[in-house]
Amino acid sequence: RSYLNAVTRGAAHYAPGEQVNEPGWIKLNTNESPLPPSPNVFRVMAELVGQGDILRKYSHPLGEPLLSALADYWQLGKENIIVTNGSDEALTLICRATLGAERPAVFPAVTYSLSRTLVTNAGAAYTEIPMVERTGQPYGIDIEALAKCSEAVVFLANPNAITGEYIDAGRLAGIIAASKSLWVVDEAYNDFAGPEATMMKYITQLENLVVTRTFSKTHALAGLRVGYLASGNQELMQGLLAHKDSYNEDALATRLAAAALADKAWHERTIRAVLAGRDFLRAELIALGFECFDSEANYILARAPEKPGAPAVVRRLRDYKILVRHYAGSPFADCIRFSVGAEGENAKLIGSLKEILKSL
Ligand code: PMP
């Protein structure tokens, strides 16, 4: 006998990238920051040691002091932002509050695979819009087809997950303004696409836009689990809050994330280092015979040389203790996704690839 309800019997699991905790491994498989968090984070962490009240009491229900810091940072009202436990939680809240028989989900066929899981687990249906081939990007987003879907919830990662494709924020704003759908723009990797790439500036103009963002990438806090969503639509925000756990973000995370946000110079330094690493990897991978797809994110999807092929290269990289992401059974099973690492890690990756390609 099953005690699961009908939705859960049909539930879909998400397969996260492998996490190794032994030293010596180079992790280029889950798009984490190659640089550590700001020293400001560690300073605040040290100050918190011994402050038992912070742990004894419940955390702030709306994630203060981070909520106020984010409102200041983006020049928005606090009512426009919800602090969440990673941006994954933001996506979960949106699915629960908006999807239903009358409003299905729509997303590009190649995107963050958690979308499928969250939509299915919210008991809703989804439509995948096939990808279109274009120069530099064989799995391009068919934005015109997405724009034509009306009365849906459109999930768009910008830059897109796996491929790194970025759609211009101004163009997207025009499309959203003309659309009858709710648009969820997932900006997990948006900082890597430049300072003008975010949709946050349109929050108060477009009532059918929700933006989700994270501290996991450019703030180097993936393990802390901090994200947020932003919208100017107050009815929507109230509905999202109804689904939120009372104390969804913990007292330490809200303080440490606020400390990271305050250190703008460190944030910019992290982005600059990743962009330099991305340029280096791209040039070196091309020289080794990989076909690199255009990416504005902190990873590069690249088609491996036909011989020896992606699975063999991925297997051999493990012998060098280098983890990368391979999507077996997918349309891009002939590709490898490389997260941009620190300077030494990128160099080690390229050196290892040279040896592997010579030996196979
Ligand atoms: N969106 C995309 C496209 C991602 O790749 C990730 C990271 N796996 C997330 C959102 C979630 O990030 P987090 O929950 O760590 O904020």
Side-chain angles (χ1 to χ4, degrees):
R1 168 179 346 167
S2 171
Y3 295 102
L4 301 175
N5 61 31
V7 168
T8 310
R9 280 200 298 275
H13 286 259
Y14 174 71
E18 187 177 348
Q19 290 294 348
V20 283
N21 289 318
E22 306 150 38
W25 283 82
I26 294 181
K27 273 196 84 264
L28 303 177
N29 64 334
T30 49
N31 304 337
E32 287 137 337
S33 171
L35 298 186
S38 152
N40 211 26
V41 172
F42 297 110
R43 191 179 52 73
V44 172
M45 202 184 244
E47 280 169 16
L48 291 173
V49 172
Q51 289 196 43
D53 265 7
I54 285 176
L55 299 181
R56 184 178 62 78
K57 294 186 198 158
Y58 284 106
S59 59
H60 190 282
L62 295 175
E64 293 289 11
L66 180 59
L67 177 63
S68 291
L70 284 167
D72 265 5
Y73 185 90
W74 290 109
Q75 295 290 295
L76 287 170
K78 285 192 266 191
E79 70 282 6
N80 296 131
I81 297 171
I82 299 177
V83 172
T84 56
N85 202 275
S87 57
D88 282 349
E89 190 198 16
L91 296 171
T92 303
L93 295 179
I94 294 164
C95 287
R96 287 190 192 151
T98 65
L99 296 173
E102 68 284 17
R103 204 177 300 281
V106 175
F107 41 78
V110 173
T111 192
Y112 188 25
S113 63
L114 184 73
S115 310
R116 265 173 231 120
T117 303
L118 295 183
V119 171
T120 307
N121 298 355
Y126 60 80
T127 303
E128 295 180 288
I129 304 295
M131 308 310 284
V132 287
E133 170 134 24
R134 60 172 73 97
T135 333
Q137 189 48 265
Y139 302 103
I141 292 170
D142 190 346
I143 191 72
E144 285 83 12
L146 283 171
K148 278 194 201 122
C149 303
S150 76
E151 307 296 343
V153 180
V154 181
F155 289 85
L156 185 73
N158 199 30
N160 197 16
I162 308 175
T163 62
E165 179 187 10
Y166 166 71
I167 295 178
D168 178 75
R171 179 168 176 226
L172 204 47
I175 290 169
I176 295 175
S179 167
K180 287 202 168 63
S181 291
L182 174 68
W183 287 69
V184 182
V185 180
D186 172 349
E187 295 195 340
Y189 301 104
N190 194 271
D191 288 339
F192 300 111
E196 297 304 319
T198 180
M199 298 297 288
M200 289 294 280
K201 51 186 171 288
Y202 301 110
I203 282 301
T204 48
Q205 295 165 34
L206 300 170
E207 53 89 36
N208 57 336
L209 167 67
V210 189
V211 175
T212 65
R213 296 184 59 92
T214 184
F215 281 81
S216 296
K217 313 295 173 182
T218 49
H219 292 289
L221 293 173
L224 198 62
R225 312 303 304 126
V226 191
Y228 53 101
L229 64 81
S231 165
N233 182 327
Q234 278 316 302
E235 192 234 7
L236 178 67
M237 291 298 265
Q238 288 305 314
L240 292 166
L241 286 172
H243 284 275
K244 186 182 85 57
D245 285 345
S246 311
Y247 311 103
N248 63 322
E249 189 57 287
D250 71 69
L252 300 180
T254 52
R255 286 167 176 79
L256 300 181
L261 191 69
D263 193 347
K264 289 189 184 152
W266 189 271
H267 186 232
E268 282 163 19
R269 202 187 120 178
T270 305
I271 295 168
R272 268 201 311 276
V274 170
L275 297 188
R278 189 175 74 195
D279 288 347
F280 168 81
L281 277 188
R282 186 180 177 81
E284 295 289 329
L285 287 169
I286 290 171
L288 287 172
F290 284 81
E291 182 200 341
C292 289
F293 305 161
D294 290 345
S295 171
E296 297 283 327
N298 64 338
Y299 47 83
I300 295 174
L301 185 68
R303 188 169 281 135
E306 211 168 311
K307 278 202 175 108
V313 173
V314 173
R315 253 191 326 270
R316 287 296 303 279
L317 278 172
R318 281 192 83 89
D319 299 337
Y320 289 83
K321 293 197 153 187
I322 298 176
L323 287 182
V324 292
R325 198 77 181 260
H326 180 239
Y327 297 87
S330 77
F332 32 89
D334 54 350
C335 297
I336 300 174
R337 192 196 64 187
F338 300 96
S339 304
V340 177
E343 205 176 334
E345 295 176 323
N346 297 333
K348 175 100 194 289
L349 168 70
I350 296 302
S352 309
L353 282 174
K354 279 183 185 155
E355 286 183 20
I356 291 168
L357 292 176
K358 219 184 292 163
S359 70
L360 284 174

